[in-house]
Amino acid sequence: MDFTVQEILNFRGLSYSSQELLVNKFKGTHLGNISLVQAPSSRYFQKLCVLTGVICKGSMTLNNPITEEKRRVTKIEIDKSKEEEVNKIIDGFSNETYDFRDNISLWIDYIGDPEVKQTPKTKFIYNKTNQDLLVTIHTNKNSIIGELIMAGKSINFPVVENKTYEVLIYDTRGNIIQSKEINFVDVDISITTSLNIKPITKDTLYYVNEINDHIDSKNFSHKYSKYLSVIKNVFNKDYLTSKNLRGARLEYLFYKLLCVFEERLTIDDIVWNGQLNEFGIPTPSPGGPKGNPDILLFKENKVVVFELTTIKPKSEQWKAEGASVPDHLIEMKSRYPNNQIIGVYLAPIIHEERVTKPMISRLSNTGINLKCIDIKTFLFELENNISDDEEFNRFLGA
C-alpha cells in the first residue's frame, strides 16, 4: 500500500483529540504555519467554491468508527436548485483522466484556462525513415520538447485543447526537413522517406570525410557544428566548444565507420563503450586505469582494441594517453586471456619518441601488439587497401 494512503488511514483511525494534537503540532512548523494558520487552504477553497454560485456552505456530523466520537464540521455541497446547471457544466468537460506526472506547466495550461474543457491528449511522432532525426516542438514560441528520434522509433508529447504546436524536424546535419503544425484534433505525425532527407550512405566515404573534417577543425566539422548550433539556439545548451564532446564525437564516428566494414569483413562484434545521450550527443567511454577502451572489435580469436585521441601536442597527448592506453590493453589481456589482443592507437599526429615508443616498451613482455598510426593514414588504408579479411589481418600485423 502507498505510504501516503497508509498515513491517511492511520490519521483517520485516531481519536479526534489525537488528530487535533497532530494538527496543532503541524501548525507549529514552517509549512503548517503557512498553510493552516496564515492562509488556511481549506477555508480559501470553500470560499472559492461558494463564490461560483452553485455551491453552498453547511455543516455535518462526523462519526469516528473506531473511537465512536462525534464532531460537528463545516461542509460544502452543490446547491440543490443548481443541480441541473452543474450537470450541464460537467457534460461539457471531458471526464477522462490524464497522468500529468510532474509536468507543472502542462497542468497550468489545462487547469488555468477555463476555455479548456477536455483533459490533454498524447500525440505521437513516428520516425519511419532509416536515420535518426531531431524533433523540436514549440507553442507560443516556447520550447516544450526537443528529442532525437532513432530510426524506426517514436516519441510522444501532450497537447492541450485550443493550442497550436509547431513541430520542426531536423536531420543530424542541422537542416530543417519538415515544419508542421499540430493541434488537439489532428492525427499523429509520421515522418516518412518521402521527405527530402539526404541519406547517410553506408559507404565509408561519408565517415572518412567527416572524421578528417573533425580532426582538422578547432572543435567540430562544419556539418556537426551546424547541428550543435540548432541545439544551442533552440534549447540554450552550448556544446560547440566542449572538449569532452570533441573526443566522444571522434569515437562515435570511428565506431560507425567500423560498422560499415562488417559487410566487407568477417567481424563477430563491434562495441563502442561510450553512449548517446539527449539529442544524440555522444559521451566518451570512461577512462582511467580500470576504465574501458574506446572501441573493441571482435574477429575470430582476435580482440582489436581501438584507442583514439583528438589531441595533437605531444606533451598533452602523453599526459592523456601515455598511461591509459597500455593500462586498457593489459586489462583486456586479463579479461580475454585466450584471445590475441591487438591495440590500435590513432591520433592526428604520432609522436614516436615521446609518446608511442614508451607505450610499446611498457607492453614488451605482455605479448600484446600495439600499432600506432596517424588517423588520416589509417583512414586512407581502410578505404583504399582493405577489402577482405586477409588484407585486414596483414594491416593489423596479425
Side-chain angles (χ1 to χ4, degrees), residues 8 40 81 92 110 118 130 155 162 176 199 225 234 269 271 308 343 393:
I8 292 171
S81 65
Y110 167 67
Q118 300 187 64
N130 62 357
I155 63 168
N162 299 336
I176 295 178
S225 293
V234 175
D269 196 12
V271 177
L308 304 105
N393 289 337

Side-chain angles (χ1 to χ4, degrees), residues 355-366:
V355 180
T356 59
K357 277 188 176 179
M359 287 181 183
I360 295 170
S361 175
R362 188 177 165 203
L363 297 168
S364 59
N365 296 321
T366 63

Side-chain angles (χ1 to χ4, degrees), residues 1-14 19 66:
M1 183 182 294
D2 182 81
F3 176 76
T4 304
V5 173
Q6 185 61 57
E7 285 295 295
I8 292 171
L9 294 176
N10 291 341
F11 181 81
R12 289 176 177 175
L14 298 174
Q19 289 178 359
I66 298 176

Side-chain angles (χ1 to χ4, degrees), residues 92-93 106 109-121 123 138-140 158-165 181-186:
F93 286 84
L106 178 64
D109 286 343
Y110 167 67
I111 202 69
D113 186 349
E115 297 300 318
V116 175
K117 295 184 177 182
Q118 300 187 64
T119 50
K121 281 185 179 178
K123 297 289 183 182
H138 313 262
T139 180
N140 296 330
V159 298
V160 177
E161 191 181 11
N162 299 336
K163 282 185 176 291
T164 299
Y165 298 82
E181 289 190 343
I182 188 171
N183 58 40
F184 194 76
V185 297
D186 289 332

Side-chain angles (χ1 to χ4, degrees), residues 196-214:
N196 184 27
I197 302 175
K198 294 179 181 179
I200 294 178
T201 176
K202 282 195 171 185
D203 187 79
T204 57
L205 186 60
Y206 168 80
Y207 297 107
V208 168
N209 289 339
E210 188 68 6
I211 291 169
N212 280 325
D213 289 348
H214 182 71

Side-chain angles (χ1 to χ4, degrees), residues 276-304:
L276 293 178
N277 292 329
E278 186 182 30
F279 311 119
I281 299 294
T283 55
S285 57
K290 294 297 182 181
N292 289 317
D294 298 336
I295 300 170
L296 296 174
L297 184 149
F298 295 86
K299 185 180 185 323
E300 299 167 344
N301 70 325
K302 304 175 188 67
V303 180
V304 184

Side-chain angles (χ1 to χ4, degrees), residues 215-261:
I215 62 173
D216 285 342
S217 68
K218 182 179 179 182
N219 293 303
F220 302 98
S221 71
H222 174 73
K223 290 177 181 177
Y224 198 61
S225 293
K226 188 176 178 182
Y227 177 71
L228 296 178
S229 294
V230 170
I231 295 172
K232 179 182 179 181
N233 294 334
V234 175
F235 303 102
N236 199 30
K237 294 187 177 182
D238 189 357
Y239 297 101
L240 283 164
T241 57
S242 171
K243 301 266 186 216
N244 196 51
L245 176 56
R246 180 164 163 77
R249 174 67 174 166
L250 180 65
E251 289 181 16
Y252 180 67
L253 288 170
F254 257 100
Y255 166 70
K256 297 295 286 185
L257 172 64
L258 291 170
C259 286
V260 176
F261 274 83

